[in-house]
Amino acid sequence: MRPAAVRLVRLGRVPYAELLGLQDRWLRRLQAEPGTEASSGTEAGALLLCEPAGPVYTAGLRGGLTPEETARLRALGAEVHVTGRGGLATFHGPGQLLCHPVLDLRRLGLRLRMHVAALEACAVRLCELQGLQDARARSPPYTGVWLDDRKICAIGVRCGRHITSHGLALNCSTDLTWFEHIVPCGLVGTGVTSLSKELQRHVTVNEVMPPFLVAFKEIYKCTLISEDSPD
C-alpha cells in the first residue's frame, strides 16, 4: 500500500496571523471532506511551515495570560493571540521553526497521542541530526523536547473530529530573552534553549528545514507533495 500524501506548504517568514488564516482554510477544507480510513495514496492534509516575522505570545486552551499580562506584553511590542491549542502561554518569533500539520489522523492510521509522540520524535530526530544526542521527549506536563532542564521545542495541538491543527515550535536562532517575560508553558523552574545556543553557532530555520522534512516523512510514513500556492 502506498503511503498517504501530505501537502507541503512553505510560507517563509510571515506574520503569525497569516499562518493562522491558512491553517483555518485547510481545517475547513478537511472538515468538508468525507472521513476516510487510511488507504493507498490517500491525501491526509497539509504540513504548514513558517518562521514568524515578529514577536508573538500565544495562550492556549488553559489560558496562561491575564489581561494585565497581555497589556504588558503588547507594550513590549509583541502581538498576543489566544489560540485553540492545548497548553498555556508560550512565545513565537524570528529564528523559530513553526510546524502546523493540519491532518486527518484517520488517513494516517494515527490517534491523537500517537500524533503528539510523532511530533516530539521529529524534533528529537532533528536535534540528533544536528549533533545534539541528548535531546529527549518528556511526559506531561513536560510535553515537548528537552536538553536536560532546557526546553528546545514546544508542542501544543488541537484535534477535533480526528483533524489536527497547531503543532510544534522549535528554537533555532530565537532571541530567548523574549521568554523571560512569561512562565513558558506554565513550567516554573525550567529554562529554554535553542539550536544556536547549544551548538555555539548561528543555526537558521532554512538550515534545519531539509533534515526536519526527512524526519517528518520517516516518522509519519508519508510522502510530501510541494504546494506552490498556499491557498
Side-chain angles (χ1 to χ4, degrees), residues 70-81:
T70 297
R72 176 174 56 82
L73 296 174
R74 284 179 173 147
L76 296 172
E79 296 178 20
V80 179
H81 290 267

Side-chain angles (χ1 to χ4, degrees), residues 26-206:
W26 269 99
L27 274 171
R28 290 195 299 270
R29 182 185 300 189
L30 286 182
Q31 289 165 352
E33 296 175 358
T36 57
E37 301 301 323
S39 61
S40 181
T42 301
E43 274 205 24
L47 173 60
L48 312 180
L49 299 176
C50 80
E51 177 181 1
V56 179
Y57 292 96
T58 64
L61 287 172
R62 292 192 290 137
L65 294 174
T66 66
E68 293 76 19
E69 288 171 324
T70 297
R72 176 174 56 82
L73 296 174
R74 284 179 173 147
L76 296 172
E79 296 178 20
V80 179
H81 290 267
V82 177
T83 71
R85 63 164 172 78
L88 294 166
T90 192
F91 170 78
H92 302 309
Q96 191 178 68
L97 171 63
L98 283 188
C99 161
H100 283 205
V102 187
L103 304 172
D104 188 328
L105 295 181
R106 293 168 295 184
R107 302 177 188 181
L108 292 161
L110 297 176
R111 297 182 182 274
L112 178 58
R113 189 170 296 179
M114 297 164 65
H115 169 57
V116 173
L119 283 175
E120 290 175 325
C122 287
V124 168
R125 181 62 179 143
L126 175 60
C127 289
E128 291 173 344
L129 291 171
Q130 296 296 308
L132 299 174
Q133 302 300 320
D134 294 332
R136 72 189 193 282
R138 296 171 64 180
S139 58
Y142 299 96
T143 304
V145 175
W146 299 76
L147 292 158
D148 294 323
D149 62 349
R150 306 178 305 282
K151 186 182 246 187
I152 196 167
C153 178
I155 292 177
V157 302
R158 182 176 186 175
C159 187
R161 292 163 49 193
H162 307 282
I163 297 172
T164 68
S165 57
H166 297 279
L168 67 76
L170 178 73
N171 297 326
C172 300
S173 54
T174 318
D175 180 355
L176 300 177
T177 60
W178 286 99
F179 287 96
E180 296 173 2
H181 302 288
I182 58 172
V183 179
C185 303
L187 299 175
V188 178
T190 61
V192 292
T193 191
S194 67
L195 292 173
S196 294
K197 183 175 181 179
E198 297 296 326
L199 297 172
Q200 293 296 294
R201 65 178 182 84
H202 188 68
V203 180
T204 66
V205 171
N206 286 340

